[in-house]
Amino acid sequence: MSRRTRLSVLTALCAASLLAAGCGATTDRPEGQDGGGGDGGAECTPGEVSDVPDPKPLAVDVPADDALGAMVPAKIKTDGKIIVAADAAYAPNEYTLEGSDEIIGMDVDMGKVVGKVLGVEVEFVNASFDGILAGLGAGRYELGMSSFTDTKEREQTVDFVTYLEAGTSTMVRKCNPKKIETPEDLCGKAVGAENGTTQLDQLTKPDVEGSVVKACSDAGKEPPNAQGFPKQTDVNAALQANRIDAYLADTPVVNYAVKKTGDAFEKTGEDTDAAPYGIAIAKSSGTMKEAVQGAVQKLISDGTYQEILDNWGITGGIEESKINGAIY
């Protein structure tokens, strides 16, 4: 998902969640949200914005594994650290807080502790999601940890080490004014997603797993009016401003946004298309993928992995990390 000088995610979500007093946003409801979407049904009452603070980064101390560290290629060790690219607008996986450039989140904690196992410092840098894989190939980064779905198409460009399983979820404005429940309900509607994501592919391509375009075609309906945005925070803002009717994003991200913006958004329909997340690694990196896979598996086995997921409120943990484990 990627980044800025930067309105933090919290600021962007604040604007998206109608926290008018603190953000200068309007307190008017978007069109169609009165009385459960204006259809004469029971009145829909906006929820409360969560007052639970964001989790704090988890400092975990684990011992280095010399055997795995020896598998890190010398050219990656030369500068004494692994440069990891992330699109830091995809909370709670990778994001920044208001007034800070520090990237935090589940992926960051996971990446740093992988580095500890390998005996190498890890530095996260902010990058545009749709440019990270190309940046790996160009040698600008050594890993990409940015909620990447491991797909067979992406495996043609980079290698992946799997570390989570996540699906796709649908977000709508509070009270679901357009009554969106199924993929077919997205047909002909303005639907957003972040640029470079599998979700934008689902909204624009008929031949990908979970294609909404194909579902609409099979139902004899018009495809969605897909709209791509540079950052997930831009997608949130577009939905709140009624510029799109819904958006698709990874389930952990949608769940987090519902919690943080309960008066503006709600999740609808079923989670679909569960697939593995992967740490992206350039194909020219020799045994780096084996080193990272061994480190992730070690963290799964010793319980550190689950501790990190629990800290960020994320489900979808796996028992076995794989190299290039795409299922579609």
Side-chain angles (χ1 to χ4, degrees):
M1 296 130 241
S2 236
R3 307 15 98 121
R4 35 195 28 121
T5 39
R6 134 184 48 185
L7 239 190
S8 72
V9 166
L10 186 58
T11 300
L13 284 176
C14 187
S17 65
L18 309 181
L19 298 179
C23 311
T26 176
T27 56
D28 296 336
R29 283 186 180 181
E31 179 183 354
Q33 288 197 18
D34 57 324
D39 62 356
E43 182 177 357
C44 172
T45 303
E48 296 292 332
V49 176
S50 172
D51 59 359
V52 176
D54 283 316
K56 294 185 181 299
L58 192 63
V60 180
D61 193 18
V62 297
D65 185 306
D66 292 341
L68 292 173
M71 299 172 71
V72 177
K75 65 179 181 179
I76 291 180
K77 291 182 178 179
T78 53
D79 61 0
K81 60 187 173 184
I82 300 172
I83 303 299
V84 184
D87 169 14
Y90 214 59
N93 296 349
E94 49 270 333
Y95 66 115
T96 60
L97 294 174
E98 184 175 7
S100 173
D101 288 340
E102 181 188 5
I103 304 172
I104 64 172
M106 177 274 293
D107 273 345
V108 180
D109 284 355
M110 198 74 70
K112 287 183 176 179
V113 78
V114 164
K116 288 184 177 182
V117 173
L118 299 179
V120 182
E121 181 185 349
V122 170
E123 179 183 341
F124 274 78
V125 298
N126 218 340
S128 173
F129 181 76
D130 55 4
I132 291 175
L133 299 187
L136 286 169
R140 291 194 295 274
Y141 322 117
E142 287 146 351
L143 297 179
M145 289 191 72
S146 199
S147 307
F148 282 105
T149 300
D150 178 2
T151 68
K152 293 185 182 299
E153 180 180 3
R154 287 172 172 166
E155 286 177 2
Q156 301 305 306
T157 304
V158 298
D159 290 317
F160 284 101
V161 170
T162 62
Y163 65 103
L164 194 76
E165 187 173 271
T168 289
S169 299
T170 303
M171 186 79 93
V172 296
R173 293 188 301 280
K174 191 69 180 182
C175 306
N176 195 3
K178 297 298 178 73
K179 306 303 179 191
I180 294 169
E181 299 290 347
T182 68
E184 289 79 8
D185 294 333
L186 298 172
C187 302
K189 294 183 173 64
V191 188
E194 188 177 1
N195 291 337
T197 61
T198 56
Q199 286 84 17
L200 191 58
D201 285 346
Q202 290 171 329
L203 294 171
T204 57
K205 298 179 180 180
D207 57 350
V208 298
E209 186 74 16
S211 171
V212 179
V213 175
K214 183 177 186 303
C216 293
S217 177
D218 291 347
K221 298 181 178 181
E222 292 295 315
N225 174 17
Q227 298 186 28
F229 296 86
K231 298 184 282 288
Q232 183 59 39
T233 46
D234 298 330
V235 185
N236 290 344
L239 181 62
Q240 189 275 328
N242 205 14
R243 296 198 301 273
I244 56 177
D245 300 314
Y247 73 67
L248 303 183
D250 290 354
T251 297
V253 173
V254 169
N255 289 343
Y256 173 86
V258 168
K259 180 176 73 173
K260 298 297 289 185
T261 62
D263 64 343
F265 301 151
E266 68 180 59
K267 182 176 170 180
T268 188
E270 300 291 330
D271 299 337
T272 62
D273 309 310
Y277 273 5
I279 300 170
I281 306 168
K283 286 190 174 293
S284 60
S285 295
T287 56
M288 186 63 175
K289 60 184 180 296
E290 287 83 5
V292 172
Q293 187 274 334
V296 172
Q297 191 61 52
K298 186 179 183 71
L299 296 170
I300 292 172
S301 299
D302 71 14
T304 303
Y305 167 84
Q306 190 61 50
E307 185 179 355
I308 292 171
L309 297 187
D310 290 345
N311 181 67
W312 294 97
I314 293 174
T315 59
I318 61 174
E319 295 183 355
E320 181 184 4
S321 173
K322 298 179 181 179
I323 295 173
N324 294 332
I327 58 176
Y328 60 78

